[in-house]
Amino acid sequence: MCSIKKNYSSIILFFILLILTLGRFVIQMKILPVTYVGGGVDEHVFVNQAINILKGKWFGDYNSITLVKNPMYSFFYVFVNKVGLSYPIALIGFYIVSILIFILAIFPIIKNKYYLSFTYVFLLYSPVMLDKKFGFRLYRDALLSPLVLLVIASLIGLYLYRNKCQPILYMWGILSGISFFIFSYLREDAIWLKPFFFGALLITCLFILFEKKSFSERIIRMIACLIPFLILYSFTSLLSQKNKEVYGVAVVNDHTETYFRNVITDLIAIDDGTNQEYVWVHEDALRQAFEVSPTLKKLEEQFDSFYIDNSTLTTKVDSEGQAEIFSGKIVWLMRLAVERAGLGYKPYVIVDGKQVRGAVATNNFYKKVHKELSVAFEDGSLKKRTKGIAISSSAPAKTSADIINNVIPKVLYSTKQTVFYENYFINEDIRAVNGDSSKVREIEMLINSPLNYPVSSEQSIYNRPITKMIPRVNFIINLYRGTVWTLIVTSLIGMLYFIFCLFNRNFQEHFFGISIINLGLIASYFILLIGVSWAYSWVSGDTMNRLYFYTSGAVPVLQIFYVINCYGFVKLLTATISKYKVKK
């Protein structure tokens, strides 16, 4: 009789989860993906890359945007097109697979089917995947939450399954390598999850090393921890080699991996006596660089056009005496200047009467500039900034005053945003599309899914309304907001319970593993928030939404923390109730 009831409850639970899963698919299908096809670099570059790949042209002819963004989202477009799936189904399908892998990863420490079912639903309807900018916008950040979840899940799985049979252990190793490789080349700021990646592999390797197994068995199992490294570096090398073959430079990204980055670092390092809180490179610093670098001086005419009165490329900041190139915009204007001057970012460039591949000529141009600026720093022609703390060579250093007055407040702001799901919602603006109708049609063909068209176009009469879905989605998001304090309190109690058990039970392996995972999650969460707050310390007012946009990867990290530690609270509660019943 008990067995029948148990099977009956499992069947009911399965159908409940099935209905909720279908409901999530309905939401994803009802709200059409939105594209801002007039967005240039930040939007259409991935479409261009994907279409060129499908035409057999790799990323297309070399120009200023060909290698400026990491290409994994473009490959996702190609996958969707080749498999024949519609983009919404592919996206939510990938997210569900990531959730299921996470549940499988934590199964050795959480076996309760009802709690695992709660975990599935809790992650399935996550506000970040229901938000206007992530779950429904055709942009690379749509893959961020699924990939963060998948990377962390695969590394947890590698650790928790380290004593299982070798094929299972190797499968977790392969999945860790593939998922982290894809994550690494989705965005340019993937460094925030590297400590978790390398730390998890090191800890897993050390645990295997001290297991009571034969030497050969331990070596075979430790190789599983090397697989992710091999996959990451071998796949990176393959991508770089392909770009060398096509464009002449062995890099994945010419924004962060060529001499371009060195030049930006040099310009930021010039000490012209100004504060870099809102302006990374002042005009005075740039003029000094022109004087000591004959190669860079070739761009002077282009930059003169940027600094003209009433230019849209400069901004008047209250603390500055004149209009300046605001924040890190110098990065993009440098590329624009080189392209306009005809010195790079073209399929081919004539150098000393010879035709040179554009990527090679561009990199050589920046190499000469970097060499000239380096000499100027060494001989004292340029003064180098020495004050402050830098966490990235491609962004200004921060003084203690900057950190206290600007960075820390933004870390606190971002913490509040991610914890309480502030700014996560949808509205009618999600139907807004700008740009050319032909570009919209091009994307429809690429992703096998209909799209809304610009309201000024003839096709806009067929645009699909989403009025009924808006309150439903926002209601779900509000439910999450309403349970935040409950999750915070219960997860913190659960974490303290695990720590107590760790010390009370002589560092038992089970509790030690959970504590290590918690430490990694907390560290990753704040590394991301500090990094974003550091890089975007200049934002204020309307631009504060950049913090919400760039810290979205912290949400799945936080939710994993909730899942693991709320289970600790459940264990504590059930243990307390059982103890009370025994006494009674």
Side-chain angles (χ1 to χ4, degrees):
M1 181 64 73
C2 290
S3 178
I4 294 173
K5 286 183 178 180
K6 186 176 181 180
N7 291 334
Y8 184 66
S9 65
S10 296
I11 292 171
I12 292 176
L13 183 60
F14 171 78
F15 277 104
I16 290 173
L17 295 177
L18 180 62
I19 290 169
L20 290 172
T21 302
L22 292 174
R24 186 62 184 85
F25 269 100
V26 168
I27 291 174
Q28 201 71 35
M29 295 295 292
K30 283 285 187 180
I31 302 176
L32 295 181
V34 62
T35 176
Y36 305 118
V37 289
V41 171
D42 282 339
E43 200 82 26
H44 211 65
V45 60
F46 302 110
V47 175
N48 288 335
Q49 284 184 341
I51 289 173
N52 278 300
I53 291 170
L54 291 168
K55 289 179 179 178
K57 298 179 179 180
W58 195 227
F59 296 141
D61 291 337
Y62 185 72
N63 56 43
S64 63
I65 66 171
T66 305
L67 299 177
V68 74
K69 298 283 185 180
N70 284 345
M72 282 304 146
Y73 191 61
S74 304
F75 289 134
F76 184 69
Y77 274 151
V78 173
F79 169 79
V80 168
N81 184 273
K82 284 291 188 180
V83 174
L85 288 171
S86 72
Y87 177 88
I89 289 178
L91 177 61
I92 193 62
F94 176 47
Y95 184 51
I96 288 173
V97 168
S98 297
I99 296 172
L100 293 175
I101 290 173
F102 172 70
I103 289 173
L104 182 63
I106 63 173
F107 187 73
I109 57 174
I110 302 176
K111 299 182 184 296
N112 186 286
K113 66 180 180 182
Y114 296 107
Y115 192 83
L116 291 175
S117 299
F118 157 77
T119 298
Y120 174 76
V121 176
F122 175 66
L123 295 173
L124 181 64
Y125 285 87
S126 172
V128 74
M129 288 300 289
L130 291 172
D131 180 70
K132 57 200 175 297
K133 294 289 187 181
F134 305 107
F136 303 105
R137 181 186 173 190
L138 290 174
Y139 193 58
R140 59 184 176 179
D141 293 279
L143 297 182
L144 188 58
S145 283
L147 280 172
V148 170
L149 187 60
L150 187 59
V151 169
I152 294 176
S154 59
L155 291 168
I156 290 175
L158 184 65
Y159 172 76
L160 294 179
Y161 285 81
R162 66 189 182 281
N163 290 321
K164 303 296 181 182
C165 67
Q166 291 176 13
I168 291 177
L169 181 62
Y170 272 68
M171 286 302 296
W172 283 113
I174 293 169
L175 184 60
S176 298
I178 293 174
S179 61
F180 190 72
F181 167 73
I182 296 172
F183 173 79
S184 295
Y185 292 106
L186 177 70
R187 293 181 50 86
E188 292 74 48
D189 56 3
I191 191 172
W192 67 274
L193 207 51
K194 279 189 176 181
F196 190 94
F197 176 74
F198 291 112
L201 294 179
L202 177 61
I203 290 169
T204 304
C205 194
L206 289 174
F207 266 84
I208 293 173
L209 179 63
F210 292 105
E211 292 285 351
K212 294 180 179 179
K213 291 182 172 66
S214 67
F215 178 75
S216 59
E217 175 70 12
R218 282 179 286 166
I219 293 298
I220 291 172
R221 289 181 176 274
M222 287 170 67
I223 290 173
C225 298
L226 297 178
I227 289 175
F229 290 106
L230 296 174
I231 290 175
L232 175 62
Y233 291 110
S234 61
F235 282 18
T236 297
S237 297
L238 286 173
L239 260 181
S240 298
Q241 191 57 39
K242 180 64 177 179
N243 283 337
K244 182 175 176 59
E245 176 188 323
V246 177
Y247 304 113
V249 288
V251 299
V252 177
N253 184 305
D254 71 358
H255 185 82
T256 59
E257 299 174 47
T258 64
Y259 279 98
F260 171 80
R261 178 173 182 172
N262 297 83
V263 171
I264 296 300
T265 299
D266 292 336
L267 293 175
I268 289 172
I270 296 173
D271 187 353
D272 59 347
T274 58
N275 183 280
Q276 293 177 299
E277 182 178 359
Y278 296 109
V279 179
W280 288 12
V281 180
H282 289 74
E283 184 179 357
D284 286 344
L286 193 59
R287 299 294 179 189
Q288 289 180 37
F290 288 151
E291 293 306 312
V292 300
S293 172
T295 307
L296 185 63
K297 194 174 179 64
K298 295 176 183 179
L299 304 180
E300 189 169 24
E301 183 180 342
Q302 301 301 324
F303 276 96
D304 286 343
S305 70
F306 299 158
Y307 283 109
I308 61 174
D309 292 339
N310 301 317
S311 171
T312 57
L313 300 177
T314 57
T315 304
K316 181 67 175 70
V317 182
D318 291 340
S319 59
E320 304 292 336
Q322 61 188 33
E324 295 280 2
I325 295 174
F326 192 64
S327 67
K329 195 183 288 186
I330 183 69
V331 169
W332 304 106
L333 293 186
M334 178 63 70
R335 299 174 75 90
L336 179 62
V338 171
E339 186 174 33
R340 285 183 177 179
L343 298 170
Y345 300 119
K346 297 164 63 177
Y348 291 94
V349 177
I350 302 299
V351 180
D352 298 330
K354 297 180 181 179
Q355 190 180 65
V356 181
R357 283 198 282 186
V360 176
T362 305
N363 196 37
N364 287 340
F365 171 83
Y366 289 125
K367 184 178 181 180
K368 287 179 68 177
V369 174
H370 172 58
K371 185 176 181 180
E372 292 165 357
L373 293 177
S374 297
V375 170
F377 281 125
E378 289 174 6
D379 66 21
S381 300
L382 287 178
K383 184 181 178 183
K384 200 166 193 175
R385 292 179 185 267
T386 56
K387 295 180 180 179
I389 303 169
I391 61 172
S392 170
S393 60
S394 57
K398 306 291 183 190
T399 64
S400 56
D402 292 332
I403 295 171
I404 293 170
N405 297 324
N406 239 328
V407 177
I408 293 176
K410 287 180 173 62
V411 171
L412 297 175
Y413 176 87
S414 297
T415 302
K416 185 182 176 187
Q417 289 253 310
T418 52
V419 169
F420 294 97
Y421 306 110
E422 292 184 0
N423 270 332
Y424 291 92
F425 61 88
I426 63 168
N427 54 27
E428 281 289 347
D429 289 345
I430 201 171
R431 296 179 65 228
V433 177
N434 60 29
D436 185 74
S437 295
S438 63
K439 293 293 185 182
V440 178
R441 180 56 184 158
E442 185 178 51
I443 298 172
E444 282 185 323
M445 298 295 290
L446 176 65
I447 67 171
N448 305 315
S449 175
L451 298 172
N452 285 329
Y453 278 74
V455 292
S456 58
S457 66
E458 295 179 1
Q459 298 92 331
S460 64
I461 60 173
Y462 302 107
N463 284 357
R464 185 185 297 178
I466 60 166
T467 308
K468 291 182 180 179
M469 292 304 300
I470 291 174
R472 296 171 185 173
V473 171
N474 287 333
F475 173 76
I476 294 170
I477 295 174
N478 285 329
L479 280 179
Y480 277 74
R481 289 196 186 109
T483 59
V484 164
W485 279 113
T486 302
L487 287 173
I488 291 173
V489 172
T490 53
S491 60
L492 289 178
I493 292 173
M495 182 180 70
L496 292 174
Y497 170 72
F498 284 136
I499 293 172
F500 172 79
C501 291
L502 175 67
F503 288 100
N504 193 48
R505 302 185 187 181
N506 296 320
F507 289 85
Q508 192 179 87
E509 189 176 295
H510 173 79
F511 296 107
F512 185 78
I514 292 174
S515 298
I516 288 293
I517 292 169
N518 277 332
L519 184 61
L521 292 172
I522 294 170
S524 299
Y525 177 82
F526 282 107
I527 287 172
L528 176 58
L529 264 56
I530 292 170
V532 171
S533 301
W534 196 285
Y536 292 93
S537 60
W538 51 269
V539 300
S540 61
D542 293 340
T543 59
M544 288 291 279
N545 64 356
R546 287 175 181 262
L547 298 178
Y548 128 83
F549 190 73
Y550 291 115
T551 58
S552 64
V555 174
V557 175
L558 199 58
Q559 290 178 326
I560 293 171
F561 177 83
Y562 289 153
V563 165
I564 291 174
N565 291 287
C566 283
Y567 186 69
F569 175 81
V570 171
K571 295 285 285 183
L572 173 63
L573 189 63
T574 52
T576 304
I577 292 172
S578 298
K579 196 172 182 180
Y580 175 77
K581 285 182 177 180
V582 170
K583 285 184 177 181
K584 194 172 180 180

